[in-house]
Every structure is written in structure tokens, then in C-alpha cells.
Amino acid sequence: MKALVYKGPNQASWEDVPNPQILQPTDIIVKIDTTTICGTDLHILKGDVPAVTPGRILGHEGVGTITEIGAAVTNLAIGDHVILACVSACGHCSYCKKGLFAHCLASEGAPGVGWIFGHLIDGTQAEYVRVPFAETSVYPLPAGVTPQQGTLLSDILPTGHEIGVVDGHVKAGDVVAVIGAGPVGLSVIATAGLYGPSKVIAIDLDANRLDKAKLLGATDGVLSSDPDWKEQVLALTDGLGVDVSVEAVGIPQTFAMSLDIVRPGGHVANVGVHGKPVELPLQDLWIQNINISMGLVSTNTLDVLLKMVEQNKIPTEEFISHTFALQDMEKAYDVFGRAAETKAIKVMINA
Ligand code: NAD
Ligand code: ZN
């Protein structure tokens, strides 16, 4: 089969590799129908994720059709269309029992790390993929949901929802600010709407992304390059700050921004993956009763979000900026890698 193989920093190629085989009785083999590229794949390609070694097939998102099932798999059948969660969950360990699939202790490669596709085992940017712990890691695709919509549920929608909205305790009437309107920040914006906030303020450097944010439910957009960006945000509140401030970029500057605009008693939900330490001014924050959360997605709300997508409660079509054929994977990487120029959000890659 063909797959996108990581060759080392700044090198990957769409090439012939052996087809995956069932290795454990809980495995299935899935023929990929639709996959996509994540910002994390670009980090891997730059060489920023050393756990990914040359030879690894990339990708952790997608929808496909089951072609083989392991002997222990009883609730799935050949021919089923399934959404692949980006996190693999054994379903039995102490973390899985709590729904904290992000830390599944049975995970292959590194116990305690649930994200293994395209990281510690071969991933979904391929014609076929081996899926471990299939019964507890894939979700049947309902008839009314397209493979492209399903692919948004592998990672970005659960990430925005769980780490941004749920951990940020967004509730009815809240003013929510989301810093960074990339695919993940846009997912925070789209899923925050499910809880009835009074305002959702998108903050980004890129005016195109603020426009996109409004199509996904943001009520206001603020350009963070404006010198008075903070005053603009505070003017959209009662002057005291936002109830929930979500960081969806992953750099010290935007984490500091998220602390700057939150009101006393408010929540700061950090979604961004940081490569460098950030400053945490506890001397100022403690007396303001600020709550700060962070985490790796578990995809434990994928099934709930799937219902919302099925009922058209999330305008999923706004996420999809480009469509490619599977054999044009390298072209898809090029377009996604130049998002500021190409206005790429999610590129859908279809078999
Ligand atoms: P992205 O790079 O596509 O989007 C980031 C956005 O931030 C862009 O629109 C950019 O213009 C904007 N931005 C950059 N600097 C800014 C600034 N100074 N002020 C305001 N906006 C600024 O990234 P993405 O794919 O949307 O992912 C966002 C973050 O979420 C990344 O750090 C990613 O690694 C992380 N992530 C976390 C999890 C998790 O489980 N916690 C899962 C997936 C992704
Ligand atoms: Zn587990």
C-alpha cells in the first residue's frame, strides 16, 4: 500500500510500504476513506517530537471501512464505517475506567500515553491502518454523517470541547475569549456555542481566521496585533474581564494574554502545546481566585459531539477549506503548511 512516511526532520514521502497486519486479537484493519493533517504533524515534520522516529507513518485522524477484525472483537464487523479516535483506549485500565483515555496504561509504545497513532505506532495517512483496542477506540459513523465530518471528530472537535470548553467550565451567559483561531481554537468556538455563552470573542493575528471564527459562532473578533487589543476585549465585558479565557496557540505570549483578560474567579483553559516554559505570576493570580487547567485530549466526548454533528448543531462545513485525493498527500501537506497564504483550515484527503 501507499503511505506518508516520516524520514527525519523536514522529510516525508508518499511511498510503498507493507500492508498492516492484525497483531493483537483486539486489533482491526481499516481502509482509510478520509484523513487529514494536523498542526501536530507539522511539528513532527520539523523534528520537534523526537518520539517519532524515521519510518513512522504519520496521521492520527480519519474515517475508514473495516477490512479485517481480530478474534476478540465482537461489536464491529467487516464493512463497518468507523471514526478513528486520535487517542487509543484499552477501556480496562484505571485511567480508561475514569474516561482519561489520554493516559491509557495499556497503550503500545509508552504506557500512559494514549495518543499513539502517527506518534508511537503507524498512523492514518495511508491506504490502510492497524487500529489497536478497536472496540473502545473507534465509533461507528452514522448514515447521516459524512467521512469528512467524522474526520473532524478524531481530534480537533473533542480537543476544543474537552480541554477548552469543558475544562474551562463554560456555562450559559458566560463571556468566553479564545486566543488563536486555528482549527483547534475554531473547535473551541464551535463547541462553546453548545453551552449558551452570551459572547464568544475570537482573538487572532490573522483577519481571515477572525472571519472564519464568526462563521463558526464567534460573536466578536479582535486582532491581537492592535495595540489596544486588551481594551477592546475588556470593552466587550462589564469591564472586569472574561469568564473563560482559552489559550489555543501554545506560546508564552498568548498564555500571558489569556491571564491578562480573565476576571477574578474566572477560568483559564490552556489548550496549546507549549515547547517553552511560560511565566506564571502566582503573586498576582492567587488573590484573584483564578482557575487554570490544561491537558491532552481524551476523546471521551467524541460520542456526544457525534450526536451534535448528526443533528447539524455544529457548522462542520466551515472547517473544510481544501480537498485532495489520497495520492496527492504531499501536495496537501504543502497547502496546509502555508496556511496563512492558502487560508487552509482543515484539508480533507479522500481515497
Ligand atoms: P494553528 O497553528 O493552526 O493555529 C494557531 C492560531 O494562532 C493561528 O490562527 C495563528 O494566527 C494564531 N496566533 C499565533 N500567534 C498569535 C498571537 N500572538 N495572538 C493571537 N493569535 C495568534 O494551530 P491549531 O492546529 O489550531 O492548534 C492550536 C494549539 O493546540 C497548538 O499548540 C496545538 O499543538 C494544540 N493542540 C493541543 C491538543 C491537546 O490535546 N491539548 C490537541 C491538538 C492540538
Ligand atoms: Zn486504558
Side-chain angles (χ1 to χ4, degrees):
M1 69 161 183
K2 294 274 193 194
L4 201 269
V5 181
Y6 175 67
K7 301 290 202 177
N10 302 310
Q11 285 173 292
S13 77
W14 180 249
E15 60 182 42
D16 286 305
V17 294
N19 276 44
Q21 309 286 324
I22 298 260
L23 299 179
Q24 300 293 333
T26 45
D27 289 351
I28 58 172
I29 303 293
V30 168
K31 180 181 184 299
I32 291 292
D33 296 324
T34 297
T35 185
T36 184
I37 307 169
C38 178
T40 306
D41 297 320
L42 299 182
H43 281 298
I44 292 172
L45 254 184
K46 278 193 218 143
D48 290 348
V49 187
V52 180
T53 49
R56 177 67 63 229
I57 297 171
L58 299 183
H60 52 265
E61 298 162 281
V63 165
T65 308
I66 300 177
T67 57
E68 280 180 64
I69 58 171
V73 178
T74 58
N75 66 352
L76 298 166
I78 289 173
D80 285 357
H81 299 289
V82 289
I83 301 169
L84 310 178
C86 65
V87 162
S88 305
C90 80
H92 296 291
C93 74
S94 56
Y95 282 125
C96 281
K97 281 183 182 158
K98 287 188 182 143
L100 202 57
F101 308 144
H103 299 288
C104 176
L105 291 168
S107 104
E108 287 176 35
V113 181
W115 167 46
I116 56 175
F117 273 141
H119 179 205
L120 305 172
I121 67 167
D122 285 337
T124 58
Q125 289 165 4
E127 288 180 300
Y128 293 87
V129 61
R130 178 180 75 90
V131 181
F133 303 124
E135 285 198 341
T136 39
S137 308
V138 308
Y139 296 78
L141 186 74
V145 178
T146 65
Q148 292 74 31
Q149 289 177 305
T151 297
L152 299 173
L153 287 159
S154 291
D155 178 351
I156 63 164
L157 286 171
T159 295
H161 180 238
E162 294 168 23
I163 309 300
V165 177
V166 177
D167 289 353
H169 293 262
V170 173
K171 55 186 191 315
D174 277 356
V175 178
V176 179
V178 180
I179 303 169
V184 171
L186 292 171
S187 297
V188 177
I189 290 166
T191 57
L194 301 171
Y195 295 80
S198 61
K199 283 183 189 162
V200 178
I201 308 164
I203 305 171
D204 204 291
L205 295 167
D206 180 345
N208 288 320
R209 290 210 155 166
L210 296 182
D211 291 342
K212 184 55 85 175
K214 288 181 185 165
L215 296 172
L216 280 156
T219 52
D220 301 272
V222 171
L223 272 175
S224 54
S225 49
D226 285 351
D228 66 342
W229 73 272
K230 182 179 164 183
E231 287 70 29
Q232 290 183 44
V233 173
L234 294 182
L236 292 165
T237 72
D238 55 5
L240 297 177
V242 302
D243 298 287
V244 183
S245 167
V246 180
E247 198 282 351
V249 185
I251 58 175
Q253 183 196 352
T254 46
F255 182 71
M257 287 166 67
S258 69
L259 299 177
D260 256 5
I261 54 174
V262 71
R263 66 194 292 116
H267 289 264
V268 174
N270 180 84
V271 186
V273 173
H274 291 261
K276 284 193 223 142
V278 300
E279 202 171 312
L280 186 62
L282 281 182
Q283 70 282 10
D284 301 326
L285 296 171
W286 77 273
I287 206 164
Q288 298 180 46
N289 297 64
I290 304 298
N291 305 282
I292 303 178
S293 58
M294 65 201 84
L296 170 65
V297 64
S298 274
T299 64
N300 59 14
T301 65
L302 196 160
D303 53 346
V304 173
L305 294 172
L306 177 56
K307 281 188 212 159
M308 295 303 178
V309 168
E310 206 178 356
Q311 292 163 21
N312 294 314
K313 304 264 197 235
I314 300 174
T316 48
E317 65 285 354
E318 295 300 341
F319 284 97
I320 300 168
S321 60
H322 297 77
T323 301
F324 294 93
L326 206 48
Q327 65 267 22
D328 294 327
M329 183 69 73
E330 291 176 355
K331 205 167 143 195
Y333 260 91
D334 174 57
V335 167
F336 184 70
R338 294 183 292 116
E341 238 172 281
T342 61
K343 300 188 186 175
I345 305 281
K346 274 312 236 191
V347 298
M348 287 294 153
I349 305 163
N350 302 312

